[in-house]
Amino acid sequence: MIGEFLLWAKSKLSVDKRLIALYCIVYVLWGLLMNWFGTAIEIAKFTYWWQVITCYILYMVPISLLLRNLPFHTQYAYGLIAMGLLEFGGYALETSYAYPNNLLDQFFGERNFALGMALFFALYFPIGNWGVQKIYNIMFSKNN
């Protein structure tokens, strides 16, 4: 069973290197923007700037590649598991910082903060896969 999964994962991760580079560029810019936004309006932030690289490139890009070409709802469901683990780990290990009494706490309640973040960030996978594929097709289409 593990061998089958590894073969499947290897096939999903064996893509054009330009596609991987595009994912890395789009996701790191997206991560920097979201970290800046979360800090600017005092919702949440990474404790260290380099976490954008570890979370968005080393964690989210491979997961996006594994989930690409699946239906939106399937990407979201698996993305929810992935982001739930990431959010839980980030706040448990204190590598992510949630500002006290932030907008999400005020709207949803303090105990629902990490769940709300996971529900939101799970959308990154289907939206990110869609957007990166569109950019890739524009940049590397044989018709250009």
Side-chain angles (χ1 to χ4, degrees):
M1 180 154 172
I2 292 174
E4 291 176 22
F5 172 76
L6 292 175
L7 287 173
W8 172 81
K10 184 178 177 184
S11 73
K12 298 293 268 181
L13 297 172
S14 296
V15 297
D16 183 359
K17 291 186 183 352
R18 297 176 300 180
L19 181 62
I20 294 172
L22 188 57
Y23 267 103
C24 291
I25 292 166
V26 168
Y27 277 41
V28 80
L29 292 174
W30 201 356
L32 290 168
L33 178 65
M34 291 305 292
N35 193 49
W36 170 82
F37 180 77
T39 303
I41 64 169
E42 296 187 346
I43 293 176
K45 66 178 181 175
F46 288 121
T47 302
Y48 307 101
W49 71 268
W50 50 262
Q51 289 175 267
V52 171
I53 296 167
T54 59
C55 288
Y56 281 80
I57 294 178
L58 299 178
Y59 187 75
M60 292 175 64
V61 168
I63 294 170
S64 290
L65 289 169
L66 292 174
L67 298 178
R68 66 191 283 266
N69 300 324
L70 294 174
F72 182 95
H73 68 281
T74 305
Q75 290 185 56
Y76 182 77
Y78 283 120
L80 185 55
I81 294 166
M83 294 314 286
L85 294 171
L86 187 67
E87 291 292 327
F88 179 77
Y91 294 111
L93 297 172
E94 297 182 358
T95 57
S96 293
Y97 174 77
Y99 288 92
N101 201 32
N102 64 60
L103 291 173
L104 294 178
D105 284 349
Q106 292 174 29
F107 193 72
F108 296 114
E110 185 177 330
R111 288 187 175 88
N112 294 319
F113 179 80
L115 175 59
M117 295 290 277
L119 288 166
F120 172 77
F121 285 113
L123 288 168
Y124 271 40
F125 298 104
I127 293 170
N129 281 330
W130 176 83
V132 168
Q133 190 62 55
K134 290 290 184 192
I135 295 168
Y136 180 84
N137 290 343
I138 291 167
M139 291 179 66
F140 302 110
S141 173
K142 295 192 189 308
N143 296 333
N144 287 340

